[in-house]
Amino acid sequence: MIPKKMPVKDAHIVKIAVECDNHIAQLINLDQRQPLSGKIQEICSFWNIVEPENYALQFCEGNHLKYVTEKNRNEIKNGSVLRLQYSPSKTANDILETLRAGSSCIKAECLEKLSSLSVDVTFALEFIKEQGLGIIISMIEEPSEKEDKILIYSLKSFVELMEHETVSWEILQNSFVQRNIHIVRNFMSFPKCTESALSNLENIVQNSSKHTLVEQEVTLQDLLMLFKDAKSPVILQNAIALINALFQKADEGRKRQIAHTISGKQYRLALLSNIPTTEMTHQLYVLQTLTLGLLEQRKRMKVSNQDQDAHEKIKELRKIAFDDYSGMSGFGGSSGNCSGSGNVNFAQYYKKLGFKCDMNPSQDFMETPPGILALDCMIYFARSYTQQYTKIVHENSCRGDEHECPFGRTSIELVKLLCDILRIGEPPSDQSVDFQPMFFTHDHPFEEFFCICINTLNRTWKDMRATGEDFQKVFSVVREQITRTLKQRPDNFDDFRGKIAYFTYQMITNLRQQERTSKEECDSTASAIVKLKEKISPDILDLIKQQRLAFLVDGTRFSKYSRGARSKDKFWYARLSPNHKVIHYGECDEKTIPTLEELNNKVSVIDIKQLLEGKECPHMKEMRTRKSAVNLAFSITFENMDHSTVDFVAPDENVFNYWTDGINALLGQEMVSKQKKEDFDTLLSMEIKLRLLDTEGVDISKDPPPIPDDPENYDFCFDN
């Protein structure tokens, strides 16, 4: 029998389903080379729908509905479900007709629909083209002293429409700006409108000449009061974002005024009293960067001959350190007077203070950075921690060897290092969440930071028994001590002081050695080591797999998300059955860990089709903000199930890595997370070390030794 040839699959054709209200779904083949208009006409003809030009296809993805266009049609995959709906143009005109002539109740329903549809750029462009934006603006501007659905959804629709950046913010009139300001300043009357109003004001400040009106009318107290009254994390992060926008637009004097207000204890506590989301953490990082950036002016300023204040501070450093010791041997001339009377050579004191130019110490502050900022920190240390200051100065000035740590020179270099670590003067990063809470817990955060670090530097200098030639080596260690401590996000300066004390010179040396050894072993190219790694790698991968599956069996509490925003106080729990065959999930509260029996929903692992991550997830598509949430999102899809996906947003990166690895392991696929690579490298390195303990000190060559030549004969003789 001649075997039948299998039909060749056409890559341009996808098999999809099309739904429509009051009609049975069609299963069709969509040729991606065929114009969409022609296919829509065929679909309408099958259902006897007239005027096909008024219809369009729409993706079916919950709250992330968007129209299919010639540009995005490549997103249609085999098995996709599309919906036949009125076209963007038809829908936009219908909505506008309702907004012009409908009752208040119908308008509210229409605006709610509009706020969802406006997420799609295709619809938004049609609505704006039909002059719909002007109607929305007019509805927002209508005076009202209480909140209603029309105002709520008008504001939400406006935010979504403007998000596509197709319309200039300059079109707005003062009345619109004033309306949003009124809403923010009267939060208690407009609690559900404030989120959108804050977003609008932030964009106006950043993108419109009307920013001056916002600066004049919105006080910092208005925004900071939201931290006491508002409970929504989105309102709080939008309030901080508006503060940041006002800060960036302000002149130098206004910036210092804002920073001074925020530095008030009540406002600092308000900023830190709310559990920050990732987006809020980013906004707090921006605020931190902007406030610390005010030090840039002092960092770039040299001490001039006419700067009497700076010269008085230098004298005060000498007096605090040596006035009480003026009569002691080694600290003064024959007169024993260091206060300025008599013929006293003050150069000797400035030399003991560790200045390079002891004849004129102001010359040490000519280098920028750190400029006069270094002097500010030194005098703050001397005034606030006089005992520690004098102890450091006298311990080093009285040494009779070459191991003294020069206070002046090291302080100036330390301030330069701190400016570099904190990136003072640089604009905030768009993605960074490097927020340090401790900088919002003190009236003089940078100076306090310096005081702790100068003590650490002095201790490290002694531990290293350093000399002047070791200057850069000491600062290399100090940099690492500071950066490693900052990575632990200390809550306050006492916490920072305790954490940095752990990173002694010996600890840094040990950590460096461990990291260097690990890297050398992992990068080893010796053939014997490579073969050993190949031999033990499967066992290590299996160990990681078992750990991941055990983590899934223990289960995880997830926050519920809607359109990329976390739902307040709503959680659900998911866990894998001990036999690794079923995933159980269901709602839970914030504290309780439910048992398998308490989780009402379950899906079989065998029914899992694939794992989706990030923006591929249905619940994350079309998300405008919260990029961190997108990075932590994953979904599992199923075949032959009532529901198509189960959607997750992990609480942190570690949980995301463990769950995605575990699901891949259940599917028999490779675990690909960053955490898996780190675990694999660590375990492999440890195993290699253990197996090579007996060869310590033996040189393992990159290539195996050569095989010796055959002997002349095999008549071996052994002497007894």
Side-chain angles (χ1 to χ4, degrees):
M1 180 183 292
I2 301 175
K4 295 177 65 177
K5 290 185 178 181
M6 294 295 293
V8 179
K9 184 178 180 180
D10 191 337
H12 296 286
I13 296 178
V14 290
K15 298 179 180 296
I16 63 171
V18 179
E19 298 177 338
C20 184
D21 291 340
N22 303 319
H23 292 86
I24 299 174
Q26 295 185 44
L27 300 178
I28 64 172
N29 292 334
L30 175 64
D31 190 337
Q32 293 285 38
R33 295 165 296 188
Q34 179 185 359
L36 281 174
S37 57
K39 198 63 183 179
I40 291 170
Q41 193 167 4
E42 290 180 17
I43 295 170
C44 290
S45 176
F46 181 84
W47 279 325
N48 297 319
I49 295 175
V50 296
E51 298 181 346
E53 64 275 8
N54 286 335
Y55 288 85
L57 292 173
Q58 196 177 44
F59 290 99
C60 293
E61 297 174 351
N63 290 328
H64 303 287
L65 301 175
K66 65 178 180 181
Y67 285 96
V68 180
T69 66
E70 295 292 348
K71 289 183 179 180
N72 65 21
R73 63 184 297 171
N74 62 305
E75 297 178 25
I76 303 173
K77 307 299 180 185
N78 277 313
S80 294
V81 179
L82 305 182
R83 189 170 186 80
L84 187 69
Q85 295 277 50
Y86 280 128
S87 68
S89 177
K90 166 71 172 169
T91 306
N93 280 288
D94 289 348
I95 289 175
L96 287 171
E97 185 177 342
T98 302
L99 295 180
R100 292 188 182 104
S103 64
S104 296
C105 182
I106 296 176
K107 282 183 180 180
E109 294 178 0
C110 186
L111 285 166
E112 184 176 4
K113 178 182 178 182
L114 175 63
S115 65
S116 299
L117 287 170
S118 297
V119 176
D120 180 29
V121 64
T122 306
F123 172 81
L125 290 174
E126 284 292 337
F127 188 80
I128 293 169
K129 186 178 73 173
E130 298 297 331
Q131 309 303 312
L133 194 60
I135 293 177
I136 299 299
I137 292 173
S138 298
M139 299 177 81
I140 294 171
E141 291 177 342
E142 288 181 6
S144 173
E145 292 305 317
K146 65 177 184 178
E147 188 175 73
D148 59 20
K149 286 188 175 181
I150 289 180
L151 182 58
I152 293 170
Y153 290 114
S154 293
L155 281 164
K156 285 187 176 181
S157 298
F158 179 82
V159 170
E160 297 293 352
L161 290 167
M162 295 298 287
E163 188 67 28
H164 301 293
E165 300 181 353
T166 59
V167 179
S168 170
W169 286 86
E170 292 291 351
I171 68 168
L172 301 174
Q173 301 300 314
N174 287 356
S175 55
F176 180 88
V177 182
Q178 290 282 10
R179 180 62 168 154
N180 282 270
I181 292 172
H182 177 76
I183 291 170
V184 170
R185 297 185 67 176
N186 297 273
F187 162 74
M188 300 305 292
S189 300
F190 303 94
K192 295 181 180 179
C193 295
T194 305
E195 176 186 324
S196 299
L198 286 167
S199 178
N200 289 336
L201 292 178
E202 180 201 354
N203 278 292
I204 289 167
V205 171
Q206 291 181 332
N207 305 302
S208 170
S209 58
K210 301 290 191 303
H211 65 86
T212 54
L213 183 58
V214 183
E215 293 166 358
Q216 293 167 3
E217 298 290 335
V218 179
T219 67
L220 203 56
Q221 286 78 4
D222 291 331
L223 299 176
L224 293 172
M225 282 298 291
L226 294 174
F227 286 87
K228 184 179 74 172
D229 299 328
K231 303 302 179 185
S232 165
V234 181
I235 288 180
L236 300 182
Q237 75 187 33
N238 285 1
I240 301 173
L242 179 53
I243 292 173
N244 291 335
L246 290 168
F247 199 112
Q248 290 171 308
K249 280 287 184 178
D251 57 28
E252 190 69 20
R254 174 64 175 156
K255 285 180 180 178
R256 295 190 180 279
Q257 183 182 355
I258 294 173
H260 176 73
T261 303
I262 293 172
S263 67
K265 187 174 182 180
Q266 59 175 333
Y267 295 131
R268 293 202 312 262
L269 292 175
L271 286 169
L272 298 175
S273 63
N274 297 278
I275 299 175
T277 61
T278 304
E279 181 63 26
M280 191 189 299
T281 302
H282 170 70
Q283 294 298 341
L284 286 169
Y285 150 77
V286 173
L287 183 60
Q288 166 190 299
T289 304
L290 294 173
T291 51
L292 288 176
L294 293 175
L295 299 170
E296 171 76 359
Q297 185 180 29
R298 301 291 281 179
K299 185 180 95 169
R300 298 293 177 187
M301 184 184 296
K302 301 177 181 179
V303 173
S304 66
N305 293 331
Q306 291 76 33
D307 191 343
Q308 190 62 33
D309 179 64
H311 290 285
E312 289 299 324
K313 286 179 179 178
I314 295 172
K315 290 179 183 179
E316 189 176 349
L317 287 173
R318 169 180 56 79
K319 290 179 180 180
I320 293 173
F322 298 116
D323 267 9
D324 291 340
Y325 296 84
S326 58
M328 297 179 64
S329 174
F331 285 95
S334 57
S335 68
N337 187 352
C338 303
S339 62
S341 62
N343 297 321
V344 179
N345 180 13
F346 292 119
Q348 62 178 320
Y349 297 105
Y350 292 126
K351 184 175 182 179
K352 292 178 185 294
L353 274 169
F355 288 108
K356 288 190 289 185
C357 185
D358 49 39
M359 297 301 295
N360 183 9
S362 63
Q363 293 296 313
D364 283 33
F365 301 99
M366 298 300 287
E367 180 185 357
T368 58
I372 205 169
L373 179 60
L375 180 57
D376 294 340
C377 293
M378 292 163 70
I379 195 65
Y380 177 88
F381 180 53
R383 290 171 178 171
S384 303
Y385 300 92
T386 303
Q387 188 174 356
Q388 294 179 24
Y389 166 68
T390 54
K391 180 182 178 182
I392 288 176
V393 171
H394 292 297
E395 276 185 352
N396 289 287
S397 62
C398 292
R399 294 183 72 108
D401 55 24
E402 73 280 12
H403 295 292
E404 69 275 1
C405 176
F407 173 75
R409 184 185 171 198
T410 53
S411 294
I412 293 170
E413 191 65 24
L414 177 61
V415 173
K416 184 178 179 180
L417 173 65
L418 298 182
C419 288
D420 183 56
I421 291 173
L422 297 178
R423 301 180 180 277
I424 288 176
E426 296 183 20
S429 167
D430 290 337
Q431 304 298 329
S432 177
V433 290
D434 188 18
F435 167 59
Q436 298 291 341
M438 68 179 182
F439 288 118
F440 288 85
T441 62
H442 201 278
D443 293 337
H444 303 280
F446 185 79
E447 291 85 348
E448 196 70 16
F449 187 43
F450 166 83
C451 293
I452 298 172
C453 293
I454 193 65
N455 278 303
T456 301
L457 187 152
N458 194 62
R459 181 193 67 193
T460 302
W461 187 286
K462 289 191 290 186
D463 291 346
M464 294 178 68
R465 291 190 55 78
T467 66
E469 296 179 353
D470 301 316
F471 204 83
Q472 295 304 320
K473 292 180 182 178
V474 173
F475 272 85
S476 172
V477 174
V478 171
R479 172 186 280 273
E480 196 162 339
Q481 289 171 320
I482 296 170
T483 54
R484 285 182 182 271
T485 306
L486 289 178
K487 287 179 180 178
Q488 297 186 13
R489 300 286 190 273
D491 294 328
N492 50 56
F493 283 106
D494 287 337
D495 190 20
F496 177 76
R497 186 181 288 106
K499 282 181 165 62
I500 200 170
Y502 170 78
F503 291 108
T504 61
Y505 167 59
Q506 187 59 49
M507 175 60 69
I508 295 297
T509 302
N510 292 341
L511 290 171
R512 285 177 171 180
Q513 181 61 38
Q514 292 172 13
E515 291 167 0
R516 181 164 52 249
T517 302
S518 177
K519 186 176 186 303
E520 288 173 355
E521 290 182 352
C522 290
D523 292 344
S524 174
T525 57
S527 60
I529 304 298
V530 171
K531 289 181 179 179
L532 179 58
K533 288 179 180 178
E534 291 174 352
K535 181 179 178 181
I536 64 179
S537 289
D539 292 336
I540 292 175
L541 286 172
D542 186 64
L543 180 62
I544 295 172
K545 174 183 175 181
Q546 295 307 317
Q547 185 271 336
R548 298 297 197 261
L549 294 177
F551 184 84
L552 267 61
V553 169
D554 288 338
T556 303
R557 180 184 293 105
F558 297 89
S559 296
K560 285 192 174 182
Y561 273 70
S562 176
R563 277 197 60 227
R566 185 169 69 88
S567 301
K568 186 177 183 298
D569 298 330
K570 291 186 178 180
F571 303 90
W572 64 291
Y573 206 90
R575 65 194 314 169
L576 179 67
S577 62
N579 62 6
H580 302 169
K581 293 184 178 181
V582 180
I583 294 176
H584 298 255
Y585 63 96
E587 293 186 355
C588 69
D589 58 31
E590 191 174 3
K591 297 180 180 179
T592 307
I593 298 178
T595 63
L596 284 177
E597 292 74 16
E598 293 171 334
L599 297 174
N600 299 326
N601 305 306
K602 61 182 180 179
V603 290
S604 297
V605 172
I606 197 172
D607 291 326
I608 296 177
K609 180 181 179 182
Q610 65 178 133
L611 171 67
L612 304 176
E613 296 179 16
K615 285 196 173 182
E616 294 180 353
C617 300
H619 63 310
M620 287 290 128
K621 289 189 177 180
E622 294 298 321
M623 223 179 69
R624 301 179 292 101
T625 57
R626 300 184 56 81
K627 294 183 179 178
S628 55
V630 177
N631 295 336
L632 298 177
F634 62 97
S635 301
I636 47 180
T637 65
F638 303 88
E639 293 178 336
N640 303 321
M641 301 290 289
D642 294 335
H643 51 279
S644 57
T645 63
V646 177
D647 305 314
F648 305 76
V649 177
D652 54 53
E653 186 177 3
N654 193 58
V655 173
F656 172 84
N657 290 332
Y658 279 16
W659 268 86
T660 53
D661 282 346
I663 293 170
N664 278 324
L666 290 171
L667 298 177
Q669 298 174 0
E670 182 183 0
M671 297 178 288
V672 294
S673 76
K674 178 182 176 183
Q675 187 64 47
K676 172 259 176 180
K677 184 179 185 305
E678 292 177 0
D679 291 349
F680 179 83
D681 291 343
T682 301
L683 293 172
L684 183 63
S685 173
M686 291 173 61
E687 186 66 20
I688 292 290
K689 284 182 181 179
L690 290 172
R691 297 201 181 200
L692 296 181
L693 281 176
D694 293 338
T695 64
E696 187 174 357
V698 177
D699 181 29
I700 301 176
S701 62
K702 184 175 180 180
D703 300 314
I707 299 174
D709 296 333
D710 291 339
E712 294 180 2
N713 60 67
Y714 292 90
D715 298 331
F716 297 105
C717 178
F718 298 95
D719 295 330
N720 291 327

